Amino acid sequence: MMRTYEELATQIDAISDRPAGQPDLSVFLPVFNEEPNLRPLHAKLDAALAELGRTAEIIYVDDGSTDGSLRVLREIAEDDPRVRVIVLKRNYGQTAAMAAGIDASRGRILIPMDADMQNDPADIKRLLEKLEEGYDVVSGWRKDRKDKFFTRRLPSMLANKLVSWISGVKLHDYGCSLKAYRREALTDVRLYGEMHRFIPIYASWAGARVTEIPVRHHPRTMGKSKYGLSRTLKVILDLVTIKFMASYQTKPIYVFGTCGLVAFGISLLAALWAVVKKLTEGTSFIRTPLPLLAIVMFALGVQFLLMGLLAEMLVRTYHESQAKPIYAVRERIGFERR
């Protein structure tokens, strides 16, 4: 007799060590005004998951769509028991939609992708095969990207090189949404701003093994792109934020203190120079800007030091009030014998 999807999932859970009902895969897709793409996309996704033969859930996150996307998603959810739909109150942006998908997911492996049909669901199989080689994160690389060169590909290339240089995580394409994550790699990741594209960096800094593989990229045939050149500036500003958080989150006094000491040094040099000019050339203090520069830089130095001390207090409050550790453990060995 043919077994239903639910019966098969229950049997797999019974012989595995995962919680009851937990699927192998969670595929989640942010959706914003993609009505014409949703049905053909779901058909391709359904075919790709059927080929894998794994249990899966599909999470669509409607990010405040104003077209008929939500109506189509409701109909898809009625026809497919694997589908879950999250409807956000308004358009919060792709990062918030990604975060909603991660929070709602239950699978051992998480796979985000775009809903505009430019990502190919057939590549999920290749991502999983690479993941099984021992990696924690496999990122898609749109090597043969089907976008306009000057407005999309060139800014993306420059931004990717800058991100790789600053972060130390060498990837060719941070903007590709199609990725595969082991659940534990995202345990402590919190997303803000436009930071969804930097998840591999967060994971790598936490000790995850990260790699990438080329994936297919299709030209957009329906709907309208939601991105422009303004996104590049947001990416750079978010990169500065995550670099600061990664390097100085537990020691902000190093940043503010260094700036304060530099300001004190400039103040001292300006004051000494003013005194030397007074003694050697007879230059009056009121006829040179050096005394004013010394006073201003001294005041800035005091402010930087005080900001550093306040930041240190906030960091300690953040960690101690939540009993939040300042490290991450990959594995514990021998503890089960105690």
Side-chain angles (χ1 to χ4, degrees):
M1 188 171 94
M2 183 74 70
R3 288 176 297 175
T4 65
Y5 172 84
E6 289 79 4
E7 291 171 341
L8 179 61
T10 302
Q11 181 177 356
I12 292 174
D13 291 332
I15 61 176
S16 67
D17 58 355
R18 47 185 183 158
Q22 182 184 28
D24 282 326
L25 309 177
S26 289
V27 182
F28 54 95
L29 306 89
V31 175
F32 179 63
N33 292 344
E34 297 289 356
E35 180 183 0
N37 288 313
L38 292 176
R39 290 194 181 280
L41 169 65
H42 188 74
K44 295 180 67 174
L45 183 57
D46 181 52
L49 294 177
E51 183 181 352
L52 293 176
R54 298 193 183 194
T55 57
E57 65 177 357
I58 304 171
I59 303 173
Y60 291 101
V61 183
D62 182 76
D63 188 23
S65 295
T66 56
D67 62 356
S69 295
L70 181 55
R71 174 182 55 78
V72 176
L73 291 177
R74 292 184 192 277
E75 295 171 356
I76 292 175
E78 290 178 0
D79 297 334
D80 191 335
R82 298 169 301 177
V83 172
R84 302 160 68 196
V85 179
I86 299 172
V87 184
L88 302 186
K89 290 185 175 180
R90 62 175 177 83
N91 177 235
Y92 289 91
Q94 191 173 10
T95 296
M98 285 279 191
I102 293 172
D103 292 341
S105 65
R106 300 173 298 159
R108 295 186 303 110
I109 297 173
L110 311 183
I111 302 174
M113 61 182 296
D114 287 332
D116 55 10
M117 291 192 67
Q118 292 192 271
N119 293 146
D120 195 328
D123 284 323
I124 293 176
K125 180 179 180 180
R126 298 174 54 245
L127 293 174
L128 296 177
E129 290 172 349
K130 193 67 176 179
L131 203 68
E132 290 171 356
E133 294 180 13
Y135 294 100
D136 301 302
V137 178
V138 180
S139 181
W141 170 18
R142 298 166 294 182
K143 195 172 183 179
D144 185 21
R145 186 170 176 179
K146 308 297 184 181
D147 282 324
K148 295 180 180 179
F149 180 76
F150 288 105
T151 58
R152 299 293 297 275
R153 289 161 53 197
L154 180 60
S156 178
M157 290 167 55
L158 296 176
N160 285 320
K161 289 184 180 297
L162 178 63
V163 172
S164 293
W165 175 64
I166 293 179
S167 68
V169 181
K170 305 300 182 183
L171 296 179
H172 292 88
D173 189 0
Y174 283 93
C176 180
S177 296
L178 184 59
K179 296 177 172 66
Y181 302 96
R182 296 189 188 277
R183 171 169 290 279
E184 53 270 23
L186 299 183
T187 301
D188 295 320
V189 173
R190 297 292 179 269
L191 301 180
Y192 304 94
E194 296 284 330
M195 293 186 180
H196 63 275
R197 58 181 51 83
F198 299 139
I199 295 178
I201 298 177
Y202 283 114
S204 177
W205 286 344
R209 294 171 287 265
V210 180
T211 189
E212 69 178 347
I213 61 171
V215 296
R216 283 162 286 197
H217 187 247
H218 302 293
R220 178 184 272 275
T221 58
M222 295 181 287
K224 184 179 178 181
S225 175
K226 315 304 186 299
Y227 303 110
L229 288 173
S230 61
R231 183 179 58 166
T232 303
L233 178 60
K234 297 177 182 179
V235 170
I236 294 174
L237 295 176
D238 282 336
L239 179 61
V240 172
T241 301
I242 66 167
K243 180 61 178 177
F244 176 83
M245 295 295 288
S247 301
Y248 303 105
Q249 184 177 22
T250 59
K251 43 185 183 295
I253 189 64
Y254 289 0
V255 176
F256 295 105
T258 299
C259 293
L261 292 177
V262 170
F264 282 135
I266 295 174
S267 174
L268 179 61
L269 289 176
L272 290 176
W273 193 4
V275 171
V276 169
K277 290 176 68 67
K278 174 70 173 179
L279 296 178
T280 59
E281 302 175 6
T283 303
S284 172
F285 289 151
I286 63 174
R287 297 179 64 85
T288 175
L290 291 174
L292 179 61
L293 177 62
I295 294 172
V296 170
M297 295 309 295
F298 181 82
L300 282 177
V302 172
Q303 289 181 347
F304 274 125
L305 285 178
L306 292 177
M307 288 171 64
L309 293 174
L310 287 174
E312 286 286 328
M313 293 172 62
L314 291 173
V315 166
R316 281 157 174 72
T317 301
Y318 170 72
H319 285 280
E320 293 174 10
S321 65
Q322 304 180 66
K324 191 175 182 67
I326 59 173
Y327 57 87
V329 177
R330 178 185 297 277
E331 185 178 4
R332 294 181 182 271
I333 300 175
F335 284 82
E336 69 277 2
R337 294 194 299 268
R338 296 186 179 182

